[in-house]
Amino acid sequence: MKRCLIVGATSAIAEETGRILAREGARLVLAARDRAKLEAVAADLALRGAQVEGVFPFDALDPEGFEALVARADEALGGFDHLLVAHGVLPPPGEVDREVHERLASLRVNAGSVIGLLTAVAPRMKARGTGVIAVIGSVAGDRGRRSNYEYGAAKAAVHAYLEGLRAELAPAGVRVLTIKPGRVDTPMTRDFEKGALWATAPQVARGMVRAMERRQGVVYLPGIWRWIMLVLRVLPESLFRRLPL
Amino acid sequence: MKPEPRSWGRWPRARHELRALRWRHEPLPLAPEDSPALPAGNGRSYGDVALNDGGILLDARGLDRFIAFDPHRGIVRAEAGVLLAELLELVLPAGWFLPVTPGTRFVTLGGAVANDIHGKNHHHAGSFGHHVTALELLRSDGSRFRLSPDERPKLFRATVGGLGLTGLITWVELALRPLGPAPSAPSAPSAASEARPADSRPELRIETETLPFEGLGAFFDLSRDSDEAWEHTVAWLDLSPGAQERARGLFMRGNHASREEGTGDPSSRSAPGGPRGGEPGAGMADRELLRAAGLLPPRLSVPFVPPVSLVNGVTVALFNRAYRLREGRRRGRRKVPLGPFFHPLDGVRHWNRVYGPGGFVQWQCVLPEGEAREGLAAILRGLRLGGAASFLSVLKVFGEREGVGVLSFARPGVTLAVDLVHRGIETLALLDALDRIVVEAGGAIYPAKDARMAPATFRASFPGWEAMGPHLDPALSSSFWRRVTGSDSAANTGAHERAGAHSGRER
Ligand SMILES: Cc1cc2nc3c(=O)[nH]c(=O)nc-3n(C[C@H](O)[C@H](O)[C@H](O)COP(=O)(O)OP(=O)(O)OC[C@H]3O[C@@H](n4cnc5c(N)ncnc54)[C@H](O)[C@@H]3O)c2cc1C
Ligand SMILES: NC(=O)c1ccc[n+]([C@@H]2O[C@H](COP(=O)([O-])OP(=O)(O)OC[C@H]3O[C@@H](n4cnc5c(N)ncnc54)[C@H](OP(=O)(O)O)[C@@H]3O)[C@@H](O)[C@H]2O)c1
């Protein structure tokens, strides 16, 4: 049975992932910042078959709590073998006009807190010599786009960090998985006009659980984004800039 | 914003601003200056009770969490956006079934309460609202109420069958029915209070019998003879062109099968038993169990809307003939899984698309017992004279229980449901005429299936409707409500203009 810590467990994508793990009877520790949401998700996952071993508060803007969270989760699960990091914020458009502290806060949530958490987790996993670390990045981290480069910059930082961590932990038997979803219909994207390329949270969750079970390093979800980003990544900036993205 | 077909009949079309709900403890996402809003479930109502043209729809499907389940007493509490199909996955492994189910399992708990839906067991179990032990209502002013037959009973009665107009139902608590044969007193919904043996292996089939009949008299005889001993009864009626007045059909009755008789057959082996059955936290049904129960998601789908309706006199005649022959051959008793028995139409996704771009209308009425025979005969004659062929027509005798809600539809009497291709004014004028028969007989038209009844028909169907007044949430409204209460300028237009608007949209 998987023993999994889910950070950002109230995100739509994480919740759907939790439901798949629950069906397998996984043992879970759930962490998120909103107590009421967390309790609602925990009760539901327990009824769906999960053994929920703990629900703990987690605020991405409070790095003091990271080490304690990881320690409590480890204790509750007898050493977790899976970690899923799923929290994030999408800053509003109108990039140039933002206040410095707002911009830095979004970077701290999307990048700083992820790196902070992994700093607490990696040595434990490495010592155990097994496990999977799965972190949700984004296709937005593959190129700097006019509409969301602040978000994209944070995700790019996470991608690079994970690439290095993957190399470091591979010899110890710990797998590091970078998940790059395309566009997903969730509360984060509530105000967007939805079109053909949009995926649902359950769809992305299924792909993520599948990827956790395979020996993959980076996975685009749904798979079509691998090809879209392949093209977009090689496009010279002079052309890329003109795309309506 | 383009008007879109959103209800199951795909007519009328409506424009909405959708707001997705995800957390039951949050207030409604409405500002004082917003246009009227309406909670919406899974869009399985045929007409306009779940439409709010020009307004906001509060999409409650995202409230899809289970909250609590007592597998010993069979009491389950879940958020209002949970589908009955999803609820079944939770409760089946522990040996429980829905107390009442409509002809499709793809409806939400909130929708089931707000239309106070009924099933084939109305004569034993009443309607859905009779099994709701409590629910929470969230109003636009942020207030929340726990409602039950004993807690704020008036608001409870306005909310069950209340068409979403009293507030958002955030969660529903339901008393389930144990699988297997009916407990000694079949009409007592409190069977739930019996403790369940922990090793009970659920029996996932219905013992059913199909009997052909011809003539309304024969139908009433069969129904009377079956009422007591059969928990589920319903009749399919052949209303293909020209055949309407013969009232030829198949009477189907069923009971939950008992375990003993089922030993040794494949489905009893694939049912889960041992440690999983009946245990708290046993988790969701696996594929094996769902297959045995006939509750796997449909594999067939109608992938697009054909340019013209595929339902016409010829196809209706062919289908009904084939159905009569096929089912007629299966005469006698047999055991069928739960899904095909209760939800035969769930085998094909998007089947409502076959009616083409114009959509279709359902029409369901109930007639008081004393007037039923003559009233039905008049309706069947009307359908024949109007040249209206109904693809799928269903007839059932309801039991004696009055509904819980102020606007509950199911009541003592006989109910008939027909599906008609929407041919514009012809269809609407015919249905207006049929309404007259129903009103004359002291019957009612079912809002969940309606998109066209006149305000006077509504008032005659629900004479107590004004009792809703003090309980309506001022921020909520629906296309249906504006139409039948005449608070919409378009509501008082006759069939003619409504038909004009319809064909105008097709262009
Ligand atoms: C194939 C088929 C077979 C059917 N068979 C039957 C049958 O046998 N018996 C029967 O009674 N009906 C039957 N129906 C009708 C169906 O059961 C009802 O229309 C049901 O209410 C649909 O539920 P929904 O979740 O799709 O709700 P919707 O159709 O989306 O909404 C229905 C009503 O509920 C309200 N509502 C939805 N959610 C909430 C909420 N959370 N809080 C407050 N109000 C809410 C809406 O405002 C609306 O007024 C059938 C429908 C189909 C398509
Ligand atoms: N949706 C997409 O199109 C898309 C595409 C690519 C990648 N992603 C990534 O997928 C992941 C999941 O997002 P989602 O789409 O499922 O959106 P979501 O439902 O809006 O989830 C975002 C989650 O992040 C949490 N969060 C935000 N700030 C936080 C903070 N300071 N501390 C703790 N938690 C915080 C939120 O908690 P609260 O509920 O308490 O606010 C929420 O649970 C994110 O990493 C996102 O960047 C999404």
Side-chain angles (χ1 to χ4, degrees), chain B residues 6 8 38-46 49-50 60 63 80-81 83 101-104 106-112 114-119 137 162-165 167-170 345-346 351 364 446 448-449:
Chain B
R6 203 179 188 275
W8 195 247
L38 179 73
N42 205 34
R44 254 49 179 190
S45 297
Y46 285 76
V49 292
L63 303 176
L83 297 178
T101 172
T104 171
F106 300 120
V107 305
T108 63
L109 278 170
N115 272 322
D116 193 13
I117 59 166
H118 56 269
L137 188 70
L163 306 176
L165 299 166
L168 175 81
I169 300 167
T170 60
L345 290 167
D346 286 350
W351 61 260
Q364 182 171 355
Y446 192 8
K449 313 281 179 89

Coordinates of all heavy atoms in Angstrom, one line a residue, chain B residues 6 8 38-46 49-50 60 63 80-81 83 101-104 106-112 114-119 137 162-165 167-170 345-346 351 364 446 448-449, ligand 1:
Chain B
R6 N -29.3 23.0 -22.8 CA -28.6 22.5 -21.6 C -29.5 21.5 -20.9 O -28.9 20.7 -20.1 CB -28.3 23.7 -20.7 CG -27.2 23.5 -19.8 CD -26.9 24.6 -18.9 NE -25.7 24.3 -18.1 CZ -25.7 23.6 -17.0 NH1 -26.8 23.2 -16.5 NH2 -24.6 23.4 -16.4
W8 N -32.2 18.3 -20.6 CA -32.2 17.0 -21.3 C -33.0 16.9 -22.6 O -32.6 16.2 -23.5 CB -32.6 15.9 -20.3 CG -32.2 14.5 -20.8 CD1 -33.1 13.5 -21.2 CD2 -30.9 14.0 -21.0 NE1 -32.4 12.4 -21.6 CE2 -31.0 12.7 -21.5 CE3 -29.6 14.5 -20.7 CZ2 -29.9 11.9 -21.7 CZ3 -28.5 13.7 -21.0 CH2 -28.7 12.4 -21.5
L38 N -29.7 30.4 -10.1 CA -30.4 29.1 -9.9 C -29.4 28.0 -9.6 O -28.5 27.9 -10.4 CB -31.3 28.8 -11.1 CG -32.1 27.5 -11.0 CD1 -33.3 27.7 -10.0 CD2 -32.6 27.1 -12.3
P39 N -29.6 27.2 -8.6 CA -28.7 26.0 -8.4 C -29.0 25.1 -9.6 O -30.2 24.9 -10.0 CB -29.1 25.4 -7.1 CG -30.0 26.5 -6.4 CD -30.5 27.3 -7.5
A40 N -28.0 24.4 -10.0 CA -28.2 23.4 -11.1 C -27.5 22.1 -10.8 O -26.4 22.1 -10.2 CB -27.7 23.9 -12.4
G41 N -28.1 21.0 -11.1 CA -27.5 19.7 -10.9 C -26.9 19.1 -12.2 O -26.1 19.8 -12.8
N42 N -27.3 17.9 -12.6 CA -26.7 17.3 -13.7 C -27.5 17.5 -15.0 O -27.3 16.7 -15.9 CB -26.4 15.8 -13.4 CG -25.2 15.3 -14.3 OD1 -24.3 16.0 -14.6 ND2 -25.3 14.0 -14.7
G43 N -28.4 18.4 -15.1 CA -29.1 18.7 -16.3 C -30.0 17.6 -16.8 O -30.2 17.5 -18.0
R44 N -30.5 16.7 -16.0 CA -31.3 15.6 -16.4 C -32.8 16.0 -16.4 O -33.6 15.1 -16.8 CB -31.1 14.4 -15.6 CG -30.3 13.3 -16.3 CD -29.0 13.8 -16.9 NE -28.3 12.8 -17.6 CZ -27.0 13.0 -18.0 NH1 -26.5 14.2 -17.9 NH2 -26.4 12.0 -18.6
S45 N -33.2 17.2 -16.0 CA -34.5 17.6 -16.2 C -34.7 17.9 -17.6 O -33.9 18.5 -18.3 CB -34.8 18.8 -15.3 OG -34.7 18.5 -13.9
Y46 N -35.9 17.6 -18.2 CA -36.1 17.7 -19.6 C -36.4 19.1 -20.0 O -36.0 19.5 -21.1 CB -37.3 16.8 -20.0 CG -37.0 15.4 -20.1 CD1 -36.9 14.6 -18.9 CD2 -36.8 14.7 -21.3 CE1 -36.6 13.3 -18.9 CE2 -36.5 13.3 -21.3 CZ -36.5 12.6 -20.1 OH -36.2 11.3 -20.2
V49 N -36.9 23.7 -15.7 CA -36.8 23.9 -14.2 C -35.3 24.2 -13.9 O -35.1 24.8 -12.9 CB -37.3 22.7 -13.4 CG1 -38.8 22.6 -13.5 CG2 -36.6 21.4 -13.7
A50 N -34.4 23.6 -14.6 CA -33.0 23.9 -14.3 C -32.4 24.9 -15.2 O -31.1 25.0 -15.4 CB -32.2 22.5 -14.4
A60 N -23.7 23.0 -9.2 CA -23.5 22.3 -7.9 C -22.8 20.9 -8.1 O -22.5 20.2 -7.1 CB -24.8 22.1 -7.1
L63 N -19.8 20.0 -5.9 CA -20.0 19.6 -4.5 C -20.3 18.1 -4.5 O -21.4 17.6 -4.4 CB -21.3 20.3 -3.9 CG -21.3 21.8 -3.9 CD1 -22.6 22.4 -3.3 CD2 -20.1 22.3 -3.0
A80 N -24.5 17.7 -2.2 CA -25.7 17.7 -3.1 C -25.3 17.4 -4.6 O -26.2 17.0 -5.3 CB -26.5 19.0 -3.0
G81 N -24.1 17.6 -4.9 CA -23.7 17.4 -6.3 C -23.3 15.9 -6.6 O -23.0 15.6 -7.8
L83 N -23.7 12.3 -7.7 CA -24.6 11.6 -8.5 C -25.1 10.3 -7.8 O -24.4 9.7 -7.1 CB -24.0 11.1 -9.9 CG -23.5 12.2 -10.8 CD1 -22.9 11.6 -12.0 CD2 -24.7 13.1 -11.2
T101 N -35.2 5.3 -6.9 CA -34.4 5.7 -8.0 C -35.2 6.0 -9.3 O -36.1 5.3 -9.6 CB -33.3 4.7 -8.4 OG1 -32.6 5.1 -9.6 CG2 -33.9 3.3 -8.6
P102 N -34.8 7.1 -10.0 CA -35.5 7.5 -11.2 C -35.0 6.5 -12.3 O -34.1 5.7 -12.1 CB -35.1 8.9 -11.5 CG -33.8 9.1 -10.8 CD -33.8 8.1 -9.6
G103 N -35.4 6.7 -13.5 CA -35.0 5.9 -14.7 C -33.6 6.2 -15.1 O -33.1 5.5 -16.1
T104 N -32.9 7.1 -14.5 CA -31.5 7.3 -14.8 C -30.7 7.5 -13.5 O -31.3 8.1 -12.6 CB -31.2 8.5 -15.7 OG1 -29.8 8.7 -15.8 CG2 -31.9 9.7 -15.2
F106 N -27.9 9.1 -13.4 CA -27.0 10.2 -13.6 C -27.7 11.5 -13.1 O -27.7 12.5 -13.8 CB -26.5 10.3 -15.0 CG -25.7 9.1 -15.4 CD1 -26.1 8.3 -16.4 CD2 -24.6 8.7 -14.6 CE1 -25.4 7.1 -16.8 CE2 -23.9 7.6 -14.9 CZ -24.3 6.8 -16.0
V107 N -28.3 11.5 -12.0 CA -28.9 12.7 -11.4 C -28.2 12.9 -10.1 O -27.7 12.0 -9.4 CB -30.4 12.6 -11.2 CG1 -31.1 12.2 -12.5 CG2 -30.8 11.6 -10.1
T108 N -28.2 14.2 -9.7 CA -27.5 14.5 -8.4 C -28.5 14.4 -7.2 O -29.7 14.4 -7.4 CB -27.0 16.0 -8.4 OG1 -28.2 16.9 -8.5 CG2 -26.1 16.2 -9.6
L109 N -28.0 14.3 -6.0 CA -28.8 14.3 -4.9 C -29.7 15.5 -4.8 O -30.9 15.5 -4.5 CB -28.0 14.1 -3.6 CG -27.5 12.8 -3.2 CD1 -26.4 12.8 -2.1 CD2 -28.6 11.9 -2.8
G110 N -29.0 16.7 -5.0 CA -29.8 17.9 -5.0 C -30.9 18.0 -5.9 O -32.0 18.4 -5.6
G111 N -30.7 17.5 -7.2 CA -31.7 17.5 -8.2 C -32.8 16.5 -7.8 O -34.0 16.8 -8.0
A112 N -32.5 15.4 -7.2 CA -33.4 14.4 -6.8 C -34.4 15.0 -5.7 O -35.6 14.7 -5.7 CB -32.8 13.1 -6.3
A114 N -34.8 18.3 -5.2 CA -35.5 19.5 -5.7 C -36.7 19.2 -6.6 O -37.6 20.0 -6.8 CB -34.5 20.5 -6.4
N115 N -36.7 18.0 -7.2 CA -37.8 17.6 -8.0 C -38.6 16.6 -7.3 O -39.6 16.0 -7.8 CB -37.4 17.1 -9.4 CG -37.3 18.2 -10.4 OD1 -38.1 19.1 -10.5 ND2 -36.3 18.1 -11.3
D116 N -38.2 16.2 -6.1 CA -38.9 15.1 -5.3 C -39.2 14.0 -6.3 O -40.4 13.6 -6.4 CB -40.1 15.6 -4.5 CG -40.5 14.6 -3.5 OD1 -39.8 13.6 -3.2 OD2 -41.7 14.7 -3.0
I117 N -38.2 13.4 -6.8 CA -38.4 12.4 -7.9 C -39.0 11.1 -7.4 O -39.0 10.8 -6.2 CB -37.1 12.1 -8.6 CG1 -36.1 11.5 -7.5 CG2 -36.5 13.3 -9.2 CD1 -34.9 10.9 -8.1
H118 N -39.5 10.3 -8.3 CA -40.2 9.0 -7.9 C -39.6 7.9 -8.8 O -38.9 8.2 -9.8 CB -41.7 9.1 -8.2 CG -42.0 9.5 -9.6 ND1 -42.1 10.8 -10.0 CD2 -42.1 8.8 -10.7 CE1 -42.3 10.8 -11.3 NE2 -42.3 9.6 -11.7
G119 N -39.9 6.7 -8.4 CA -39.4 5.5 -9.1 C -40.5 4.5 -9.3 O -41.7 4.8 -9.0
L137 N -29.7 23.7 3.9 CA -30.0 24.7 2.9 C -29.2 26.0 3.1 O -29.1 26.5 4.3 CB -31.5 25.1 3.0 CG -32.1 25.9 1.9 CD1 -32.2 25.2 0.6 CD2 -33.5 26.5 2.3
G162 N -38.8 21.7 -4.3 CA -38.8 23.2 -4.4 C -38.1 23.8 -5.6 O -37.9 25.0 -5.6
L163 N -37.7 22.9 -6.5 CA -37.2 23.4 -7.8 C -36.0 24.3 -7.6 O -35.8 25.2 -8.5 CB -38.3 24.0 -8.6 CG -39.5 23.1 -8.8 CD1 -40.6 23.9 -9.6 CD2 -39.2 21.9 -9.6
G164 N -35.2 24.2 -6.5 CA -34.0 25.0 -6.4 C -34.3 26.5 -6.0 O -33.4 27.3 -6.0
L165 N -35.6 26.8 -5.7 CA -35.9 28.2 -5.5 C -35.8 28.7 -4.1 O -36.0 29.9 -3.8 CB -37.4 28.4 -6.0 CG -37.5 28.1 -7.5 CD1 -39.0 28.0 -7.9 CD2 -36.8 29.1 -8.4
G167 N -33.1 28.0 -2.1 CA -31.8 28.2 -1.7 C -31.0 27.0 -2.2 O -31.5 26.1 -2.9
L168 N -29.7 27.0 -2.0 CA -28.8 25.9 -2.4 C -28.9 24.8 -1.4 O -28.6 25.0 -0.2 CB -27.4 26.3 -2.6 CG -26.4 25.2 -3.0 CD1 -26.5 24.9 -4.4 CD2 -25.0 25.5 -2.5
I169 N -29.2 23.5 -1.8 CA -29.0 22.4 -0.9 C -27.6 22.0 -1.0 O -27.0 21.8 -2.0 CB -29.9 21.2 -1.4 CG1 -31.4 21.6 -1.5 CG2 -29.7 20.0 -0.6 CD1 -32.3 20.7 -2.3
T170 N -26.9 22.1 0.2 CA -25.5 21.8 0.2 C -25.2 20.3 0.4 O -24.3 19.7 -0.1 CB -24.7 22.6 1.3 OG1 -25.3 22.2 2.5 CG2 -24.8 24.1 1.0
L345 N -32.1 3.2 -19.9 CA -31.6 4.2 -20.8 C -30.2 4.6 -20.6 O -29.6 5.3 -21.4 CB -32.6 5.4 -20.8 CG -33.9 5.2 -21.4 CD1 -34.9 6.3 -21.0 CD2 -33.9 5.0 -22.9
D346 N -29.7 4.3 -19.4 CA -28.3 4.7 -19.1 C -27.2 3.9 -19.9 O -26.1 4.2 -19.8 CB -28.0 4.5 -17.6 CG -28.7 5.6 -16.8 OD1 -29.2 6.6 -17.5 OD2 -28.7 5.6 -15.6
W351 N -28.1 9.9 -25.4 CA -29.1 9.4 -26.3 C -30.1 10.5 -26.7 O -30.8 10.4 -27.7 CB -29.9 8.2 -25.7 CG -30.6 8.4 -24.4 CD1 -30.2 8.1 -23.2 CD2 -31.9 9.0 -24.2 NE1 -31.1 8.5 -22.2 CE2 -32.2 9.1 -22.8 CE3 -32.9 9.6 -25.1 CZ2 -33.4 9.6 -22.3 CZ3 -34.0 10.1 -24.6 CH2 -34.3 10.1 -23.2
Q364 N -45.4 14.5 -18.9 CA -45.8 13.5 -17.9 C -46.9 14.1 -17.0 O -46.8 15.2 -16.5 CB -44.6 13.1 -17.0 CG -45.0 12.0 -16.0 CD -43.8 11.4 -15.2 OE1 -42.7 11.7 -15.5 NE2 -44.1 10.5 -14.3
Y446 N -45.9 17.3 -14.6 CA -44.6 17.1 -13.8 C -43.6 18.2 -14.3 O -43.2 18.2 -15.4 CB -44.0 15.8 -14.1 CG -42.9 15.4 -13.2 CD1 -42.5 16.1 -12.1 CD2 -42.2 14.2 -13.5 CE1 -41.5 15.7 -11.3 CE2 -41.1 13.8 -12.6 CZ -40.8 14.5 -11.6 OH -39.7 14.1 -10.8
A448 N -40.5 18.6 -13.7 CA -39.2 18.1 -14.1 C -39.1 17.8 -15.6 O -38.1 17.7 -16.2 CB -38.8 16.9 -13.3
K449 N -40.3 17.6 -16.2 CA -40.3 17.2 -17.6 C -40.9 18.3 -18.5 O -41.0 18.1 -19.7 CB -41.2 15.9 -17.8 CG -41.0 14.8 -16.8 CD -39.8 14.0 -17.2 CE -39.5 12.9 -16.2 NZ -40.2 11.6 -16.5
Ligands
LIG1 C1 -33.6 9.1 -18.8 C2 -34.3 9.8 -17.7 C3 -35.2 9.1 -16.8 C4 -35.8 9.8 -15.8 N1 -36.7 9.1 -15.0 C5 -37.3 9.7 -14.0 C6 -38.2 9.0 -13.1 O1 -38.4 7.8 -13.3 N2 -38.8 9.6 -12.1 C7 -38.6 11.0 -11.9 O2 -39.1 11.5 -11.0 N3 -37.8 11.7 -12.7 C8 -37.1 11.1 -13.8 N4 -36.3 11.8 -14.6 C9 -36.1 13.2 -14.3 C10 -34.9 13.5 -13.3 O3 -34.9 12.5 -12.3 C11 -35.1 14.8 -12.6 O4 -35.2 15.8 -13.6 C12 -33.9 15.1 -11.7 O5 -34.3 16.2 -10.8 C13 -32.7 15.5 -12.4 O6 -31.6 15.8 -11.5 P1 -30.3 16.7 -11.9 O7 -29.3 16.4 -10.9 O8 -30.0 16.4 -13.4 O9 -30.9 18.1 -11.7 P2 -31.2 19.3 -12.7 O10 -32.0 18.8 -13.8 O11 -29.9 20.0 -13.1 O12 -32.0 20.3 -11.8 C14 -33.3 19.9 -11.4 C15 -33.8 20.9 -10.3 O13 -33.1 20.7 -9.1 C16 -32.6 22.0 -8.7 N5 -31.3 21.7 -8.1 C17 -30.3 20.9 -8.5 N6 -29.3 20.9 -7.6 C18 -29.7 21.6 -6.6 C19 -29.1 22.0 -5.3 N7 -27.9 21.5 -4.9 N8 -29.8 22.7 -4.5 C20 -31.1 23.2 -4.8 N9 -31.7 22.9 -6.0 C21 -31.0 22.1 -6.8 C22 -32.5 22.8 -10.0 O14 -32.6 24.2 -9.7 C23 -33.7 22.3 -10.8 O15 -34.9 23.0 -10.3 C24 -35.6 11.2 -15.6 C25 -34.7 11.9 -16.4 C26 -34.1 11.2 -17.4 C27 -33.1 12.0 -18.3

